[in-house]
Amino acid sequence: MTSRNGLLVAIAGQQNAGKSTLFNMLTGARQHVANYPGVTVDKKYGLYQDGVGAVRTVDLPGTYSLTSFSLEERVARDFLLGERPDVTVNVVDASNLRRSLHLTLQLMELELPPVLALNMIDVAASHGIRIDHDELARRLGVPVVPTIGRKGEGRVPLRQAIRDWAQTLREGRAAPRHPIDYGPLEADIAALEVLIADQGVLADLPRRWLALKLLEGDEQARGQLAGRLDTAPTEAILTEADRRRLAFEGAHGLSVGDQVVTCRDRTVTALIDGVQNRPDGRRRTLSERIDQVVLNRWAAPFFLVATVFLIYQVSIVWGYELTNYTWPLLAGLRELAAGLLPAAGFLVDPYVRALGLWLVDSANTLLNYVPIFLILFASIAIIEDTGYMARIAFILDKILHRFGMHGQSTLPLILGGVFAGGCAVPGVMATKGIPDARARMATIFAVPFMNCLAKVPLYTLLLGIFFVEDKSLMMFYISTMTIIFALLVSKLLTTTVLRGHETSPFVMELPHYHRPTLQGVLRRAFDRTWQYIKKVGTIVIAVAVVVFALLHFPGLPAERKAHFEAQGQAAAVRFEEALAGNAYRDVALGAQLVPLVNYASDFNRARLNATSAEAARALEARFEARNPQFYPLVKPPRGDRDARQASRALRDLLRERKSLRREMKEERITNSLLGTIGRGLEPVTQFAGFDWKINVALLSSFAARESSVATLGVLFQQDDDENRSLEERMGAETRADGATALLAVSMILFFALYPPCLATTIMVRVQTNSYKWMLFSIVFPTFLGLGVASLVYTIGRAVNATGLQAMTAVYLGALALLILVGLVSGRRAPTPVRQPVPTASTRP
């Protein structure tokens, strides 16, 4: 055992046994969350002091066994084998002892005799179950401590048992036990143990466990053997294991795995005989009575829709309302940052200021989601703790699995915006709990196809221009077609690029219902939100710098800079002429001009955020104190004719400055690397009907979906002598260029299939722990969207179809394909239940 400072304790247990609650009870607030290297499974670790010293505690992923069928099982097993913790705490569900002890026996086979935390004894008592924990401890030869994790009961004796058991194990006073007799397999196990014992490099691995795994044909165990030994001894051991496995199966007519499960179940039965006493006439539990209603064939969909709607309403809708209170705080931080950065120029800002504010704005966009995430994660924690989350997966899995997803994909899709108004960022984050690796990846790539709130402005703009009479029908098509696309894409990916990803045998356990605790819910909500802030915040800075460079370089040509500088100087001269003979002339001109302009801009911007008369008075007092000389020019006193005249001239100057800066911004976008890319893409995007302006708008929307409409507003600007809406301006110009509703359909289809926004791609990187998949989430939807849009636009023009006809054809074709795929997709092959207990439901 390697030398350590303090104790290393691993918390292992099956899902829904209260493992994480017990971990929270042991460690309190001193917790951290990270990822295991190379995987996306959470690693939660904490620290506490027990009077003797520090105890480092790791909460392993919840798992039913220590095989290698699932990622969680492999991660837990690799940690136990590699780290060899001083003590393993095995959390078992006292109300379902028969199921829980299977993992206990496997821990003992790993030569890690655990401290058994007999959790939820109150639930067991409510079911009339009595357990003699002292007798159970005697039979297993390990400490057994009754606990009620959610109430904090049992913490002191559990901590003491951990410390005492660690001392016992270190002194070698715990006699090694192998409580399972595998019958006819024992001779084969012993023979392989002899071969393994001859290899010194395998000395740190439990011989009996390794021999058993080789007989079962465990691929991870075989890989460990090959990674440590030369080819000849590896082949000799594996050949002998295969020979003995085939001989056993031929002689007994069953697999080694079946024999192992049967012997373990027989051992568990003997262990609990006389230890666990159940009432003779067992009445149905409260959980069973509730399930009779919420899982009823007809009532289940109603409860599911109501629950999902409530989560959506509380987190997305009501949570978004909270941003009305948090955004002013973030805006205040921006103003503070603006005050610390170099001052703005008359027409051109220093790059340090421009980049600094760009980074602040990028961070604020993400931080504005924090209220939503706090409520969302708290809601999810409540659903998880009550036990209903497992019911959601159970209800919908049979439908979604036909398209490569999972029952637990439901919540991410809803949060992403199944119909309209969601957000892909929390949707992708919510995929964390999907246990099936392939289905989880498919869901991550399907969520961005949902109709997030940021997509709605472009849809509204295009429908207002080209589909004034058919808005309702088109919105129905858009809102439901994205679901069809998501399911079809998920099926495509799971049968192609995701085909090699692991899938887990689907074991669906319906846990008992529990009352969630406020402390547990808040802790998880804050932990998960803090993960979002840390992980996204570190990545967004680098990406934002790249986007900034693409939009600002190479900048305007020298002659255009000179042109705008001349225009600016002319505006300054007109301002100076307007102040001829004015008492405030010396205050406003010369070196004071740019500071005055910035002061007035700050005042006008701040006044827009003043929501009450009291706030307005406080604002005025603050600005008057900031610069008493400038203040009369932005808030002229009554009776001061010079101040009013200077204020009017200043407003004219601000309007001219704003117009010039906007023109410069438009030209800079046109000549920027992003604008150049937009023009360079025209030979390709012309088949979808897109010109360079549409290309730039769609490219800019990668930073944020709302940017598409904002960019179009810049590109289709109005003249000074008109006051038309963007719909009117864009409609008139595009129709003049020959655009029809068919182009709008092409744009809608592309936008629906377009890559996720910057924040979502960052979240894809966080959730997959891979830049490769982050890049795939950008490239694949781009080619898919452009291909579909080009096909529809080209065929539509060839047959002279209207926009509505093209959209209807696409919708009906996609719906027919969805039904066909759903009918053809066979049900998954039956999955053997690794734990033969009646409380587990498996997908047939």
Side-chain angles (χ1 to χ4, degrees), residues 112-388:
L112 294 170
V115 172
L116 207 66
L118 197 61
N119 198 32
M120 298 193 291
I121 56 173
D122 56 334
V123 176
S126 69
H127 297 162
I129 300 173
R130 290 177 298 149
I131 299 174
D132 186 345
H133 62 271
D134 291 329
E135 177 61 19
L136 181 61
R138 188 191 66 79
R139 294 184 182 187
L140 284 172
V142 300
V144 178
V145 182
T147 61
I148 306 177
R150 65 186 185 89
K151 295 182 179 179
E153 296 182 12
R155 178 173 59 181
V156 174
L158 181 57
R159 285 183 172 183
Q160 188 60 49
I162 291 171
R163 177 61 67 178
D164 294 343
W165 191 238
Q167 187 66 26
T168 299
L169 294 175
R170 282 178 174 175
E171 295 176 356
R173 292 186 284 111
R177 291 195 178 195
H178 302 296
I180 306 176
D181 182 355
Y182 290 108
L185 274 176
E186 287 295 333
D188 299 317
I189 294 173
L192 284 178
E193 281 190 80
V194 173
L195 294 178
I196 293 170
D198 292 338
Q199 306 298 327
V201 293
L202 302 178
D204 60 320
L205 294 176
R207 290 200 299 270
R208 179 177 173 85
W209 170 84
L210 182 57
L212 182 63
K213 288 301 162 187
L214 292 177
L215 284 172
E216 288 183 286
D218 187 291
E219 290 298 329
Q220 296 298 316
R222 296 169 70 93
Q224 280 194 330
L225 204 68
R228 294 181 177 222
L229 299 178
D230 294 333
T231 303
T234 298
E235 291 182 352
I237 295 176
L238 293 181
T239 300
E240 181 65 13
D242 292 341
R243 184 187 69 79
R244 289 182 174 273
R245 180 174 63 255
L246 293 174
F248 174 86
E249 292 174 352
H252 296 87
L254 77 163
S255 68
V256 172
D258 289 341
Q259 172 71 7
V260 168
V261 170
T262 301
C263 293
R264 283 177 183 161
D265 191 52
R266 184 168 57 239
T267 303
V268 169
T269 302
L271 281 171
I272 64 177
D273 184 28
V275 168
Q276 175 181 264
N277 297 315
R278 289 179 173 269
D280 294 333
R282 190 177 80 87
R283 57 187 176 84
R284 285 183 302 171
T285 65
L286 176 62
S287 294
E288 291 172 337
R289 293 198 298 271
I290 295 175
D291 279 341
Q292 199 172 23
V293 178
V294 300
L295 295 184
N296 177 273
R297 181 178 181 181
W298 306 109
F302 169 78
F303 284 105
L304 174 62
V305 171
T307 301
V308 171
F309 173 78
L310 184 61
I311 294 175
Y312 171 80
Q313 181 72 21
V314 170
S315 60
I316 303 297
V317 178
W318 295 351
Y320 191 80
E321 292 297 321
L322 291 178
T323 61
N324 294 328
Y325 302 96
T326 58
W327 184 251
L329 299 177
L330 297 174
L333 292 176
R334 186 188 190 280
E335 292 299 319
L336 178 62
L340 297 175
L341 292 169
F346 186 75
L347 292 181
V348 180
D349 295 341
Y351 276 116
V352 173
R353 178 182 179 84
L355 177 59
L357 292 180
W358 174 267
L359 295 179
V360 171
D361 289 339
S362 300
N364 279 356
T365 300
L366 298 172
L367 292 175
N368 198 41
Y369 290 121
V370 166
I372 296 176
F373 287 148
L374 280 171
I375 299 175
L376 169 65
F377 292 141
S379 301
I380 293 176
I382 292 172
I383 298 300
E384 289 174 340
D385 286 356
T386 58
Y388 188 66

Side-chain angles (χ1 to χ4, degrees), residues 5 129 162 192 307 328 447 496 541 568 692 775-776 780:
N5 293 322
I129 300 173
I162 291 171
L192 284 178
T307 301
V447 164
T496 54
I541 300 300
W692 76 271
L775 182 63
F776 178 81
F780 171 72

